[in-house]
Structure formats: structure tokens, C-alpha cells
Amino acid sequence: MSTKQTALPEPAAVVHLSVDMGKLTRVGARPGFLDYLVQLWDFRQFIFYDARARVQSGTRRDKLGSAWLLLNPVFNGLTYYLIFGLLLHTSGGITNFIGYLVIGIFMFQLSAGSITNGARSIQQSKSIIQAFNFPRAALPIGVNLRELMANVPLLIAMLLIVLVAPPAETISWLWLLLIPVVVLQFVFNLGIGLILARVIAKVHDVTHLLPLALRAVMYGSAVFYSYERFIDHPFILTMMRMNPIFIVIDIVRDCVLYGRVPLWQSWAALSLWALGALGVGIVFFWKGEESYVRG
């Protein structure tokens, strides 16, 4: 009797996978600074179209719609005119107080709205931050771009009021200098917004102090009074001239009301404020990139 021996199957080949752990990155890890800037550039179209869409839909629930973008600063201007111009007589020595006041309020409004909304952009977008992976600086950038777009009609209305309200001013080529002023103002607003966005994301209580700080800046920006009343107080005058919002307002008044080329020192100071704020803001915000998901 012969027995057949059945050959046992050979064991299956074992596949060994080698993973290069050095190429793995932690989810939500902060990229290098230059890579971060590249990512923001890649998101530029999304930032632009999202900002434009939010401007168009921002006031749809109101019956007057986008008209409130103009009515709010106009009502503020009327209030300040009644209180400071007629009751407190701060208009003394100002030949065109209406134009002086309108420029101060409208230009301050542009910075106040941009800084406030930019500072709150991270805190108000926690659900988006935790759901999607993108450079978080896109949020304050988008908010500031949205505020700039929304305020373009206000700037046009400001110029129209200066043209119509007595004593009416005349159009000059100096009005074109409003463009670089607004660009530098936008850069400054963005830088401050980036700094405050990280601070508020960590310490929400700062949101309660922000309106107080902006109100103090407004009072120190000669919005509704002439800075010349502090000629005999050199320290106060120096502090006021160092205020970037005052510099913006002063340059616009020179161009629109007084028909004179602003001093180069004013342009240099505003440029330093704008570029310095943006440089510090983007680096400071980038260093906290990982904390926004956990916050």
C-alpha cells in the first residue's frame, strides 16, 4: 500500500511596508512662514469672492438694504455736529466745519469697522476653523477686504457732501491721493486686526475693551475739533500727530479741503505705521496658527 504525500502550500509572502516618518506632518501643524504666505496667496480668489458676496448679502434683511452703509455715518455726523458744533462750539477756527467733520467721521469709521470686525474674525468663526483646513489669516484678511469694499460708496458720498455742503469745495487732482491713503489705511487696519484676532481668540474679554480703546483713539484724532487748540501743549500735540488715524484724516483734509500737498513726513509716518503693523501682525498671527483650532 502506497501513501501519497500532499505537499503543503508555501506560506504567503510577507509584504514589508516602509514608511518614512520624517515626511509625515501633524494634522493642523503650523507651516513655515513662507509656505504660509504661499497658502494665503493660493486662497486669494476665495478671499476676494467671499468678501464680495458678504458685502452684497450683508444688509439684505434690512428694508433699506445697503443704504444703511451710508446712513450710519451720516447720522453719526449729524449727532456730532449738533453736540460738538452747535452746543459745545468746537467748530471755532474751522472754516468748513461740515466738510472737516464729515471727513473725520467717515475716515475713522473705515478704521473702526475694519479693526473691530477683523479682531473678532477668529472668535466668530470657530465652527469653520474646526471643520476645514486653511490658513486662518484668510479670515481677518477677508473681513478687512469686505470692509474696504463696503466703504467705497461711503468715500464717494463723503466727497459728494464736501462738494455740495456750503462752503462747497472744488475738485482737484489732489483728490486722487485719496487712493494711496486708503491703501495704507487698509494695510494698517489689517495689521492691527491680525494682532487683536489672536489676542481675542485667547482672551475673549478684550472684546469689551476694544470699543473703549477705539473711542479714545477717536477723541485723539481731532475728528470734531481743531488740533490747533493744543498749540500751547506740545506733548499732547506730539502724541496726536503720532496717532495713525489722525495722520490719515489730516492727509485727506489737506487733499480734499485745503488743496495742498500733504507733507512728506505725514506720508512717511503713515507708511511706517502701515507696514510695521502688517509685518508684526502677520508674524504674530502666524505664530498662533495651531492654537485657533484648540481655542
Side-chain angles (χ1 to χ4, degrees):
M1 178 182 256
S2 64
T3 59
K4 294 183 179 179
Q5 294 183 352
T6 305
L8 296 175
E10 295 182 359
V14 179
V15 179
H16 297 280
L17 297 177
S18 61
V19 179
D20 186 359
M21 302 298 292
K23 294 182 179 181
L24 296 180
T25 58
R26 187 175 68 260
V27 175
R30 183 185 68 197
F33 183 67
L34 293 180
D35 292 334
Y36 192 70
L37 296 180
V38 171
Q39 290 179 14
L40 284 173
W41 177 253
D42 291 339
F43 272 81
R44 65 189 183 279
Q45 292 184 343
F46 168 78
I47 294 173
F48 174 78
Y49 288 113
D50 180 67
R52 188 177 66 177
R54 290 180 184 271
V55 169
Q56 295 172 348
S57 62
T59 54
R60 285 181 180 175
R61 295 182 180 180
D62 302 321
K63 291 184 178 181
L64 295 180
S66 299
W68 282 110
L69 297 174
L70 176 61
L71 291 176
N72 281 327
V74 168
F75 287 151
N76 285 336
L78 289 174
T79 303
Y80 289 129
Y81 178 75
L82 292 174
I83 295 176
F84 296 100
L86 299 182
L87 296 180
L88 300 180
H89 301 289
T90 61
S91 59
I94 302 175
T95 55
N96 186 352
F97 183 67
I98 294 179
Y100 188 93
L101 182 64
V102 165
I103 289 175
I105 291 175
F106 279 54
M107 298 309 295
F108 175 79
Q109 184 86 4
L110 175 56
S111 282
S114 298
I115 291 174
T116 299
N117 292 318
R120 296 173 176 173
S121 58
I122 297 298
Q123 190 66 33
Q124 294 178 343
S125 305
K126 286 297 183 181
S127 58
I128 298 176
I129 291 174
Q130 294 172 352
F132 301 99
N133 184 26
F134 62 97
R136 315 306 181 195
L139 293 172
I141 292 174
V143 167
N144 276 266
L145 186 59
R146 181 184 72 201
E147 289 293 323
L148 179 62
M149 292 178 178
N151 278 275
V152 169
L154 272 70
L155 297 176
I156 297 174
M158 179 188 74
L159 297 177
L160 290 176
I161 293 174
V162 171
L163 282 174
V164 174
E169 303 294 336
T170 57
I171 299 178
S172 165
W173 69 269
L174 290 171
W175 289 28
L176 294 174
L177 295 179
L178 196 63
I179 297 174
V181 174
V182 172
V183 170
L184 289 173
Q185 187 181 13
F186 168 81
V187 173
F188 171 77
N189 296 341
L190 175 58
I192 299 299
L194 286 166
I195 294 173
L196 292 176
R198 179 181 174 184
V199 173
I200 290 177
K202 189 173 183 63
V203 185
H204 185 263
D205 298 47
V206 177
T207 56
H208 301 289
L209 301 176
L210 185 56
L212 300 176
L214 288 173
R215 192 173 298 118
V217 171
M218 182 187 69
Y219 290 147
S221 300
V223 171
F224 43 78
Y225 61 85
S226 174
Y227 71 91
E228 293 180 353
R229 62 174 55 210
F230 297 111
I231 291 295
D232 297 329
H233 301 81
F235 176 76
I236 297 177
L237 191 60
T238 300
M239 294 299 295
M240 184 177 294
R241 286 176 172 169
M242 292 176 60
N243 177 359
I245 307 301
F246 169 79
I247 298 173
V248 169
I249 295 173
D250 191 49
I251 290 177
V252 175
R253 284 171 176 161
D254 279 344
C255 297
V256 177
L257 290 183
Y258 307 130
R260 61 192 181 202
V261 178
L263 297 174
W264 69 266
Q265 291 92 335
S266 298
W267 289 106
L270 182 57
S271 299
L272 287 175
W273 270 111
L275 297 177
L278 180 61
V280 173
I282 191 65
V283 172
F284 182 72
F285 187 92
W286 163 73
K287 284 184 175 295
E289 181 75 8
E290 296 183 15
S291 64
Y292 306 134
V293 178
R294 301 190 301 267

